[in-house]
Amino acid sequence: MISAKTTHMGLVRTENQDSLGYIKVGANDLFVICDGVGGLPNGALASKTAVDSIISDFSIISSAGPETHLLSAMKKAQKAVMKANPKPLGTTVVALYLDGGTAYAAWCGDSRIYHFRNNLLHWMSRDHNILHDILNKGKSRGSMFMNPQALNRFFGREFEVKSDYYSFSVEAGDHLLLCSDGLSNFLMEQDIIHAITNNSPQDASDLMERKLLTEEIGAPDNFTWYIIQI
């Protein structure tokens, strides 16, 4: 396995509210990306609190299986963010645990996980936002006049929310991408697929960063990612 990472403030924001973390767990690997919720203050605190909590949880040997451990770490991270001060604050979370030939993914919000195989997008996490509810549940729950990209799940709300979870098999040659929406909202999906499946992780990372920083796109948001090649 080889990987590359980047995190950048972008060209418009005055603070990078994204956080990322990695830890080797025996022969396995854990990657985490969090993105402070736009429109709320203290996003940098929220994202760092969540990353630190999940990494800390996996630094302790656990007898629990990977799925149980990951879900438990997500719940503890959510509680840590809810307890953090000052308020208000919030963060999206995406975590990926690689254990042999299996990837265990958990997320809350609109930071994403992508799985590429044979130069194709094989699977992608689904965002937790108003548009997702409308398209996938067939109802808007009175939210049709809200911003369709508005988050309806993130860590730091006044009540606990459910993280989603998915596990899938990985094999040699597969590529995985964890990213904040500063990438997925501003770079076309085909450009992401092409960059990652036709380059080494580091070259793909450099290419996507250059594209986001062009005058045409202007990097209006913080952007952060891990690119992993199995």
Side-chain angles (χ1 to χ4, degrees):
M1 184 201 78
I2 56 175
S3 65
K5 66 181 179 181
T6 193
T7 185
H8 196 290
M9 186 172 68
L11 299 177
V12 175
R13 301 293 175 90
T14 57
E15 179 185 33
N16 188 353
Q17 295 194 341
D18 290 358
S19 296
L20 75 173
Y22 165 81
I23 187 172
K24 190 79 176 172
V25 186
N28 304 324
D29 303 271
L30 174 74
F31 300 85
V32 186
I33 285 179
C34 296
D35 177 3
V37 173
L40 292 179
N42 311 306
L45 171 64
S47 65
K48 186 176 187 306
T49 298
V51 168
D52 288 350
S53 177
I54 294 171
I55 294 296
S56 176
D57 197 271
F58 271 84
S59 69
I60 301 169
I61 296 174
S62 173
S63 60
E67 176 180 352
T68 301
H69 195 180
L70 183 56
L71 291 177
S72 173
M74 293 285 283
K75 288 179 181 179
K76 290 177 184 176
Q78 179 167 193
K79 291 182 181 195
V81 174
M82 291 174 73
K83 290 179 182 177
N85 284 298
K87 292 180 172 51
L89 77 174
T91 184
T92 69
V93 184
V94 60
L96 181 76
Y97 183 65
L98 292 173
D99 181 355
T102 305
Y104 299 88
W107 70 98
C108 185
D110 61 0
S111 291
R112 290 182 180 175
I113 310 167
Y114 294 79
H115 177 205
F116 305 94
R117 177 176 292 167
N118 298 326
N119 299 326
L120 298 172
L121 176 58
H122 202 62
W123 175 80
M124 181 185 73
S125 57
R126 293 189 295 182
D127 297 345
H128 295 145
N129 57 28
I130 299 299
L131 181 61
H132 170 270
D133 273 355
I134 295 172
L135 295 179
N136 294 284
K137 298 181 181 179
K139 56 184 179 180
S140 67
R141 294 186 296 186
S143 301
M144 65 177 60
F145 300 110
M146 295 177 62
N147 174 5
Q149 299 298 327
L151 292 175
N152 53 19
R153 281 191 244 176
F154 58 86
F155 287 6
R157 302 195 71 167
E158 64 278 9
F159 52 88
E160 289 190 31
V161 295
K162 181 179 179 294
S163 299
D164 269 337
Y165 172 86
Y166 184 69
S167 63
F168 53 95
S169 297
V170 291
E171 58 187 44
D174 285 5
H175 292 79
L176 305 168
L177 169 68
L178 283 71
C179 68
S180 63
D181 66 350
L183 171 66
S184 55
N185 281 351
F186 301 105
L187 205 59
M188 297 292 291
E189 186 174 279
Q190 285 304 315
D191 289 335
I192 295 173
I193 295 172
H194 185 269
I196 290 177
T197 59
N198 288 280
N199 297 278
S200 69
Q202 189 60 60
D203 286 347
S205 184
D206 293 344
L207 176 60
M208 294 194 305
E209 180 172 346
R210 286 197 302 271
K211 285 190 174 183
L212 286 171
L213 294 173
T214 59
E215 185 176 345
E216 180 184 3
I217 297 177
D221 196 1
N222 309 150
F223 57 83
T224 302
W225 58 72
Y226 280 108
I227 303 171
I228 305 152
Q229 182 179 331
I230 304 298

